[in-house]
Amino acid sequence: MPNSNLNGCLNCRERSEIFSTLHHNELIHVDMCRVRMHYGVGEMIFKQGSPCYDFVCVTSGLVKLYVESGNDRKLIIGFAKPVDYIFVPGAYVDKRHHFSAMACEETTACLVEAEVIQSLVKTNPEFSYQSISKISAQAINLFEQLTNLTHKQMPGRMADMLIYLSHKVYESNPFFTHLTRQDFADLSGMTKESAIRVLKVFKDDGLVKIDGDLIHILDMPRLENISRNG
Amino acid sequence: MPNSNLNGCLNCRERSEIFSTLHHNELIHVDMCRVRMHYGVGEMIFKQGSPCYDFVCVTSGLVKLYVESGNDRKLIIGFAKPVDYIFVPGAYVDKRHHFSAMACEETTACLVEAEVIQSLVKTNPEFSYQSISKISAQAINLFEQLTNLTHKQMPGRMADMLIYLSHKVYESNPFFTHLTRQDFADLSGMTKESAIRVLKVFKDDGLVKIDGDLIHILDMPRLENISRNG
DNA sequence: GGGTTGCATTGATATATATCAATGCAATAC
DNA sequence: GTATTGCATTGATATATATCAATGCAACCC
């Protein structure tokens, strides 16, 4: 049964601001409709272009969100980690996904029918205000990503990415990551080979230390400086 | 008096979907709070980083929206034309503007205190749903812009830009524009010189005809092909 | 008319970045 | 134990793009 765990959504309410805006009976309703899913590393949660039926909330693991262009290049636009819900803008526009979501680690997520969530927007003003804030914040991040990727050269973009991973995704330094060099490249808009070369320079300059999956930013001020000067 | 024109917002309701969601008394209220402004070419309507006090709705002319990065490079992320309101995501996040708005032609716009609009989000579910749709559509455009700018080379980006101008901004072909070569460059993420060179190739290849401010796309299928193949 | 200003254009050159091809290297499969 | 697979790394090279410097050219000013 989907809501066999009685503390399901109530538990998440304590950890995610979005659920705190829901009234008790709304939360119960969401909880009833919820399906718990597990995804292995590399498994697709949803794919760009496909119809969007479900609202997805990540409860454990890590999910990368990326856009694909024709020539099978990818650009990672962000991550979802516990307890983030993935705002799907297409749900309010054309009922299609405009980016893909893939598990980068063993991941569990709750799915709720998109209709259920969207009807909350129409009945709960707090919830809709939260939704607007969420998508607004996402748009603001996209502005920054746009200028970073178009106005900076590779070292600046790589520095941005490392700082982003440390501050926003893993929230620690050093941090463990299972991201591949290709992911690094897809995050900073360059080829895998270029990513490797830039990282090598950073290592040689004593900016970072990379030990397998462990990344340690040794000189954050200098890295921030590289980010600033593009 | 701001609402000397009795048909003010009522008139816009007929031309812009966002106002059609407002109830009569809400519209009257917005109309009462509204200030009509005029901007000359090159005049700034609001600047990135500044506090956002006002909701802006363009009633005539053309406004470019752009983000600036440290090294005084710009990237135009879109335009607002009659009757578009400019959705300011910062209003729901940190009360700051995250992009700038500048008139590219003689422009008139109505300003309404941001608070007035934001309170409508909390009282009118139709209006908040519209707001979510608007910002969602904007986010979707940003995804596309991101991949266009990072995964395509100059000819592809220039083709995208010309198609965008013809289809979405001026909605005609040929079209008159007062945009400069620098604007073209800021739209397609390259330098002014590169923009000129790419345009020259397009002209020599018979793809477009440029006569001062008049731009004529002669071979749309081929231009779309260039856009697709990056 | 001559000067100034702002934008458009061109050419020469430097630089950043991608591509291609090869090799290394650890984990897993048989 | 050897083959295989997937990812990381390196070097050589080609290409895309920016930069710099100069010139053109129309509009406007005095």
Side-chain angles (χ1 to χ4, degrees):
Chain A
M1 273 172 82
N3 56 339
S4 56
N5 175 4
L6 280 174
N7 270 336
C9 290
L10 291 166
N11 180 39
C12 277
R13 169 152 68 174
E14 289 159 23
R15 299 194 284 152
S16 177
E17 84 289 351
I18 189 78
F19 296 109
S20 66
T21 62
L22 295 183
H23 303 131
H24 189 75
N25 58 339
E26 289 172 335
L27 204 60
I28 297 292
H29 184 215
V30 169
D31 207 14
M32 298 262 293
C33 300
R34 146 183 153 260
V35 178
R36 201 172 168 74
M37 291 288 292
H38 176 267
Y39 301 95
V41 175
E43 256 190 283
M44 187 82 86
I45 297 170
F46 55 76
K47 188 167 162 55
Q48 181 176 331
S50 67
C52 48
Y53 301 121
D54 297 307
F55 169 92
V56 177
C57 187
V58 177
T59 49
S60 77
L62 187 68
V63 173
K64 67 177 172 190
L65 311 174
Y66 60 94
V67 283
E68 303 179 80
S69 48
N71 36 351
D72 67 15
R73 289 187 65 178
K74 294 174 186 173
L75 189 73
I76 297 177
I77 54 169
F79 293 91
K81 52 179 186 164
V83 181
D84 284 342
Y85 65 101
I86 303 174
F87 187 95
V88 175
Y92 298 89
V93 178
D94 58 359
K95 308 286 180 196
R96 292 284 178 280
H97 286 292
H98 292 265
F99 53 82
S100 301
M102 180 184 279
C104 334
E105 295 172 11
E106 294 290 314
T107 293
T108 55
C110 291
L111 307 190
V112 179
E113 216 182 306
E115 287 296 322
V116 172
I117 301 295
Q118 280 180 264
S119 69
L120 289 174
V121 165
K122 301 207 174 170
T123 53
N124 183 336
E126 283 293 322
F127 182 77
S128 69
Y129 196 91
Q130 274 288 344
S131 299
I132 295 178
S133 299
K134 168 87 175 180
I135 175 76
S136 294
Q138 191 174 325
I140 288 170
N141 284 335
L142 286 172
F143 297 148
E144 202 167 319
Q145 226 182 336
L146 260 177
T147 50
N148 286 348
L149 290 173
T150 56
H151 291 167
K152 287 180 187 178
Q153 356 198 100
M154 296 199 297
R157 306 205 298 268
M158 182 60 75
D160 279 335
M161 193 217 60
L162 290 171
I163 294 168
Y164 167 73
L165 289 179
S166 173
H167 285 177
K168 300 289 175 62
V169 181
Y170 298 104
E171 298 181 87
S172 77
N173 181 29
F175 57 89
F176 270 104
T177 176
H178 296 119
L179 297 178
T180 65
R181 299 300 144 123
Q182 186 62 58
D183 287 328
F184 283 16
D186 293 344
L187 267 162
S188 40
M190 60 184 81
T191 61
K192 186 183 50 170
E193 292 94 328
S194 292
I196 289 166
R197 277 183 250 264
V198 175
L199 278 176
K200 187 180 156 70
V201 172
F202 282 8
K203 280 190 282 189
D204 291 350
D205 288 359
L207 284 166
V208 295
K209 186 155 155 287
I210 301 181
D211 232 346
D213 285 349
L214 183 68
I215 296 186
H216 194 165
I217 298 177
L218 300 172
D219 192 342
M220 184 61 88
R222 204 140 58 91
L223 201 62
E224 283 168 343
N225 200 45
I226 290 173
S227 155
R228 228 171 293 116
N229 298 328
Chain B
M1 272 173 82
N3 56 339
S4 56
N5 175 5
L6 279 175
N7 270 336
C9 290
L10 291 166
N11 180 38
C12 278
R13 168 152 69 173
E14 289 159 22
R15 298 194 285 152
S16 176
E17 83 290 348
I18 188 80
F19 297 109
S20 66
T21 62
L22 294 183
H23 303 132
H24 189 74
N25 57 340
E26 289 172 336
L27 204 60
I28 297 292
H29 183 214
V30 168
D31 206 13
M32 297 264 293
C33 300
R34 142 183 158 260
V35 178
R36 203 173 166 74
M37 291 289 292
H38 176 267
Y39 301 94
V41 175
E43 257 189 281
M44 188 83 86
I45 297 171
F46 56 76
K47 187 166 162 56
Q48 181 175 332
S50 68
C52 49
Y53 302 121
D54 297 307
F55 170 91
V56 177
C57 186
V58 176
T59 50
S60 77
L62 187 67
V63 174
K64 67 177 172 190
L65 310 174
Y66 60 93
V67 284
E68 304 179 79
S69 48
N71 36 349
D72 67 16
R73 290 186 65 178
K74 295 173 185 174
L75 189 74
I76 296 177
I77 54 168
F79 292 91
K81 52 179 187 166
V83 180
D84 284 341
Y85 66 100
I86 303 174
F87 188 94
V88 175
Y92 297 90
V93 178
D94 58 359
K95 308 287 180 194
R96 293 283 178 279
H97 286 291
H98 291 267
F99 53 81
S100 301
M102 180 184 281
C104 337
E105 296 172 11
E106 294 290 314
T107 293
T108 55
C110 291
L111 308 190
V112 179
E113 215 182 306
E115 287 297 321
V116 172
I117 301 296
Q118 280 179 265
S119 70
L120 289 173
V121 167
K122 300 206 173 170
T123 54
N124 183 336
E126 283 293 322
F127 183 77
S128 69
Y129 196 91
Q130 274 288 344
S131 299
I132 294 178
S133 299
K134 169 86 177 182
I135 175 76
S136 294
Q138 191 174 326
I140 289 169
N141 284 335
L142 286 172
F143 296 148
E144 203 166 319
Q145 227 182 336
L146 260 177
T147 51
N148 286 348
L149 290 173
T150 56
H151 292 165
K152 288 181 186 178
Q153 6 198 87
M154 296 199 296
R157 306 205 298 266
M158 181 61 74
D160 280 335
M161 193 218 59
L162 291 171
I163 294 168
Y164 167 73
L165 289 179
S166 173
H167 285 177
K168 299 291 174 60
V169 181
Y170 297 105
E171 298 181 88
S172 77
N173 180 29
F175 57 89
F176 271 103
T177 176
H178 295 120
L179 298 177
T180 65
R181 298 300 144 120
Q182 186 62 58
D183 286 328
F184 284 16
D186 293 343
L187 267 162
S188 40
M190 60 184 81
T191 60
K192 185 183 51 171
E193 292 94 329
S194 292
I196 288 165
R197 277 183 250 264
V198 175
L199 278 176
K200 186 181 157 70
V201 172
F202 282 9
K203 280 189 282 189
D204 292 350
D205 288 359
L207 285 166
V208 296
K209 187 155 154 285
I210 301 181
D211 234 346
D213 284 350
L214 184 68
I215 296 185
H216 195 164
I217 298 176
L218 300 172
D219 192 343
M220 184 62 88
R222 204 140 56 90
L223 201 62
E224 283 169 341
N225 201 44
I226 290 173
S227 154
R228 227 172 294 116
N229 298 330

